[in-house]
Amino acid sequence: RDMVNKWCAVATVWSLLLCATYAADVVDGTCKEITVDFIIKDDDPEVAAVEDDIVQDLAKIGIKVNTRVLDAAAYIDAELEGDYNMLFTRTWGAPYDPHSYLTSWAVPAHVEYSAIGGMEPPLTRDSLLNMVTAVQLETDPMVIADKWEEIQQAIHTQAIFLPLWGTRVPFVLNRRFAGFTPSTQTYSYPLSSVRILSGSPNVTLAPGAGGSLFRSVGPVHPHQYFPNQLFVQSWVYEGLVGYGQDGEIIPVLATSWVSEDLPSGGSRYTFTLREGVQFHDGSEWNCSVAKLNFDHVLSETVKARHQWYGTTDQLTSWTCSGAGEFILETREKYYPLLQELTYIRPLTFAAASAFAEGLDSHPDLHNSCNSGDFGSKWSFLEDNITCAGLKPIGTGPFKLAQQETNSDGVDIQAVFERHDVYWGGPPDIHFLHLKYYENTNDVERDLLSGDLDMALGIGPLTAKQVQDLKFYHSHTVDVRHSDVMQHALMVMNTNAEGTKDLETRRAIIHAVDKSRFIKEEFAGLEQPVTQLLPYSAPFCNVDLNPKWAYDFEKAKLLNCPTPSTVSSDDDDGLPAWAIGVIIVVSLLFVAAVAFAGYMFYREKQGNPIFSRLLDQDNTKSVDPAQKVTV
């Protein structure tokens, strides 16, 4: 009998598991019928790796995903026009988060502008952007921290972003090098401190370029954006100050600075410039050159291109003192100023000889801009100025030595030479040879063979390849990682059919099982996140609620409501007929298993349950004439 009880118990548990499985995996037919467009770039290996997982997860709650893979130009157009429901993006990372990243949301050319256009009242695009502007004018650190937390919670509640994973930037170097330190900025690859332990002083390098495989360094222009690559701009050009560990502002072309309040309500910053600094052509760094660069970047026409951050709007004057100091004045007290002066572009410095007319180059008649390089969204700026171009001459540790670009826009030669009289000391590396690769497998092969010295940043290797090199080939290569610098995100358009409903956006967030596919695709390199901005960013180490984590039951309840779920919060989400069927099937299953167990028990006791019936049948089948009388 104990055995029978055990069989019954097993059957009951099995039935309950079947019920749970049914409830977890089967979506009821009452799901809202929603189709959404998911926009991804054709050269982004990370999103390509997870796109199918996201599509499958959303299908489980009845949301059909139409994935559109676009080239860079079409992708930018979709951002500008708001032609998407979901779009993969990343936060900007240090030193841009949170202030410059959120300020950029006011620019229609950025995807977040359209994404926040239909938020739930009382929050609107204008009210949110006003909050972002206001906090940057505060001076009390406690008030600044409180206001940033309020802003982040307001955004978080709107369920605009599905936070996916935190990005740690990988750096893979041959063991013949030492002294490499991961950058404090996402797209900067600092090589001036690298020491050569053995072999050639010339280095072959496969760099990541905006999260993809490298194609070209671009024009190597300090004041403009794509197709210029940030990592190259950081080798060639420098600014007044730099961004150090944990956000420390460190001296670069300025050795010290002081600030004072102005009666007008603004601030004055006086920078003492570093002496003895030479540009790559041997010319001298001084205040006249500093002012010339600011004149061109901040001309009344050109500064519209730089409205993604506040410094270009706050600066009212930039002048030189009689002692050669560089003096900046702001319209208001603006706390992010020094941090924004650490940016790799656009307020970094080219030599006067790099400008078309030298120190006499007029900001409107001979602007430093390259014609056509403002980007398609900003081409109208050239109606009011003349772009005269700029030669790539900076003060940085490396200078452009050779560049040859083919008809496909690929650099078949991109060579950088060390700056022998660099003020920080000449690098050990003499020449940097950048190599173009069509796929990450070839990068990995050449790293292992020694034909390639370094693969730096996101793009030249997959996460799995990075982990494989770290754990199985550490005798050949040294693998380093930055801290979490950015968050990978899926942004949802609050102003588009399909994602304008808050409940739908919440359902999408809870339906995506990011922990599963991050583990599968990134081999432990990245970790799932639940908030928009990294904890490491200034004023972003805050606890936001609710947690945007995977929760299939919540996702199902949000997008697949039933009459029972609407009337009761305690309902399990299944319709009554389905529950009835599950109960009947479960009871029948339990009864069948219990009966089988009882039969087995009787057999073991030597008293089969059908023995009497068999005996009766045997008796009836005997012929009376064959009976023997004793």
Side-chain angles (χ1 to χ4, degrees):
R1 294 184 184 275
D2 289 342
M3 187 174 294
V4 173
N5 292 336
K6 290 179 181 178
W7 275 86
C8 291
V10 169
T12 303
V13 171
W14 182 253
S15 299
L16 291 174
L17 289 173
L18 286 175
C19 295
T21 302
Y22 182 92
D25 293 341
V26 179
V27 175
D28 187 69
T30 59
C31 289
K32 302 172 192 175
E33 294 184 1
I34 299 172
T35 299
V36 295
D37 279 359
F38 186 16
I39 306 301
I40 64 175
K41 289 174 69 174
D42 61 359
D43 60 352
D44 193 324
E46 287 191 334
V47 69
V50 303
E51 176 269 337
D52 58 332
D53 297 285
I54 293 173
V55 171
Q56 291 170 18
D57 284 347
L58 294 184
K60 294 176 184 177
I61 61 167
I63 295 179
K64 180 181 178 182
V65 178
N66 173 35
T67 301
R68 292 161 53 199
V69 182
L70 306 178
D71 61 24
Y75 184 88
I76 291 171
D77 288 341
E79 287 183 301
L80 179 61
E81 297 165 7
D83 182 22
Y84 66 93
N85 289 109
M86 307 185 310
L87 185 144
F88 182 83
T89 187
R90 295 178 179 89
T91 61
W92 290 3
Y96 305 95
D97 296 341
H99 51 283
S100 294
Y101 174 52
L102 267 66
T103 297
S104 76
W105 295 7
V107 182
H110 291 196
V111 66
E112 292 83 3
Y113 178 86
S114 56
I116 63 175
M119 294 185 293
E120 294 288 315
L123 195 63
T124 65
R125 180 195 288 141
D126 288 342
S127 65
L128 173 61
L129 294 174
N130 287 339
M131 292 167 68
V132 172
T133 299
V135 68
Q136 296 176 77
L137 305 180
E138 297 289 345
T139 56
D140 184 331
M142 293 299 293
V143 174
I144 294 171
D146 288 343
K147 288 196 171 184
W148 273 122
E149 182 172 3
E150 179 186 359
I151 291 168
Q152 290 175 77
Q153 182 62 60
I155 297 168
H156 187 84
T157 304
Q158 292 288 329
I160 302 166
F161 299 93
L162 165 56
L164 294 169
W165 62 84
T167 297
R168 296 190 301 153
V169 181
F171 305 94
V172 183
L173 296 86
N174 189 282
R175 284 287 178 184
R176 72 186 190 90
F177 304 104
F180 176 81
T181 301
S183 175
T184 55
Q185 298 199 35
T186 305
Y187 297 113
S188 172
Y189 311 145
L191 296 176
S192 59
S193 65
V194 171
R195 303 191 312 276
I196 298 175
L197 303 179
S198 63
S200 171
N202 302 330
V203 171
T204 55
L205 167 64
S212 305
L213 286 161
F214 159 79
R215 290 178 58 83
S216 173
V217 299
V220 195
H221 196 300
H223 305 156
Q224 293 189 288
Y225 304 97
F226 183 83
N228 295 281
Q229 294 298 330
L230 282 160
F231 69 91
V232 168
Q233 290 169 310
S234 71
W235 290 342
V236 176
Y237 304 102
E238 296 175 304
L240 294 170
V241 290
Y243 189 78
Q245 195 67 37
D246 299 320
E248 178 188 8
I249 306 301
I250 58 176
V252 183
L253 293 182
T255 56
S256 62
W257 53 91
V258 294
S259 64
E260 58 184 307
D261 294 341
L262 296 175
S264 62
S267 299
R268 175 185 292 130
Y269 290 80
T270 302
F271 293 88
T272 299
L273 302 185
R274 190 178 297 278
E275 297 181 353
V277 176
Q278 293 185 26
F279 285 96
H280 298 152
D281 66 347
S283 60
E284 180 186 0
W285 155 250
N286 56 41
C287 191
S288 297
V289 179
K291 184 180 184 304
L292 173 66
N293 280 265
F294 269 55
D295 286 343
H296 283 245
V297 174
L298 299 176
S299 80
E300 283 303 314
T301 297
V302 174
K303 74 176 184 179
R305 178 62 182 90
H306 311 302
Q307 61 184 274
W308 55 268
Y309 74 128
T311 289
T312 55
D313 180 58
Q314 282 291 333
L315 286 174
T316 57
S317 71
W318 42 97
T319 58
C320 296
S321 72
E325 300 162 318
F326 193 39
I327 301 172
L328 305 180
E329 293 187 358
T330 63
R331 181 164 45 86
E332 298 166 288
K333 294 180 178 64
Y334 182 67
Y335 89 77
L337 177 71
L338 286 174
Q339 186 166 335
E340 294 187 343
L341 290 176
T342 71
Y343 295 173
I344 294 171
R345 62 192 183 196
L347 290 175
T348 51
F349 301 101
S353 57
F355 291 76
E357 301 294 329
L359 282 173
D360 296 326
S361 300
H362 191 279
D364 292 336
L365 301 179
H366 326 102
N367 194 272
S368 65
C369 55
N370 286 335
S371 182
D373 278 0
F374 280 124
S376 59
K377 304 172 187 177
W378 303 96
S379 58
F380 65 90
L381 296 177
E382 292 194 50
D383 294 341
N384 302 312
I385 60 169
T386 299
C387 288
L390 191 76
K391 299 172 187 175
I393 307 172
T395 61
F398 296 97
K399 57 186 177 181
L400 181 63
Q402 184 179 359
Q403 183 180 14
E404 183 180 350
T405 307
N406 67 19
S407 58
D408 294 326
V410 173
D411 284 351
I412 55 178
Q413 286 284 342
V415 182
F416 293 82
E417 181 182 0
R418 77 174 181 180
H419 184 21
D420 288 332
V421 292
Y422 180 56
W423 63 265
D428 266 14
I429 298 171
H430 288 189
F431 288 92
L432 287 166
H433 295 261
L434 275 59
K435 294 187 67 174
Y436 165 72
Y437 286 90
E438 293 187 351
N439 60 74
T440 63
N441 291 333
D442 290 347
V443 175
E444 182 181 28
R445 177 201 64 208
D446 284 1
L447 281 170
L448 292 175
S449 70
D451 290 337
L452 180 67
D453 288 315
M454 302 178 183
L456 306 180
I458 302 168
L461 294 166
T462 67
K464 287 183 177 179
Q465 288 171 323
V466 171
Q467 295 295 76
D468 185 66
L469 289 168
K470 180 198 296 185
F471 293 118
Y472 302 109
H473 300 282
S474 58
H475 59 288
T476 302
V477 293
D478 179 21
V479 178
R480 304 288 186 89
H481 302 283
S482 71
D483 294 331
V484 172
M485 303 286 282
Q486 297 174 300
H487 280 181
L489 312 165
M490 190 171 73
V491 59
M492 290 176 276
N493 192 345
T494 65
N495 217 20
E497 288 295 331
T499 47
K500 68 180 181 180
D501 179 63
L502 176 61
E503 297 297 283
T504 299
R505 298 196 300 272
R506 290 178 59 204
I508 289 172
I509 289 173
H510 286 306
V512 176
D513 187 2
K514 52 196 171 190
S515 295
R516 173 182 53 78
F517 63 68
I518 290 172
K519 181 179 179 181
E520 293 172 355
E521 300 295 344
F522 299 131
L525 179 62
E526 314 293 18
Q527 298 298 320
V529 294
T530 61
Q531 299 184 181
L532 172 64
L533 294 165
Y535 289 129
S536 59
F539 308 111
C540 295
N541 190 11
V542 295
D543 186 33
L544 305 179
N545 288 293
K547 299 302 178 189
W548 293 142
Y550 173 64
D551 189 327
F552 182 75
E553 288 304 314
K554 280 186 181 178
K556 186 171 63 173
L557 290 172
L558 287 165
N559 201 59
C560 306
T562 65
S564 53
T565 20
V566 172
S567 61
S568 171
D569 291 337
D570 297 328
D571 197 288
D572 66 1
L574 291 173
W577 66 265
I579 295 173
V581 169
I582 291 173
I583 291 172
V584 170
V585 171
S586 299
L587 290 175
L588 289 174
F589 182 73
V590 170
V593 173
F595 184 73
Y598 183 65
M599 289 175 60
F600 179 78
Y601 171 76
R602 290 284 297 271
E603 289 283 352
K604 293 286 287 183
Q605 296 296 317
N607 186 23
I609 193 169
F610 297 112
S611 61
R612 292 182 181 180
L613 295 174
L614 290 171
D615 289 345
Q616 292 174 4
D617 289 342
N618 289 336
T619 301
K620 291 177 181 178
S621 63
V622 175
D623 188 344
Q626 297 177 349
K627 287 184 180 181
V628 177
T629 302
V630 179

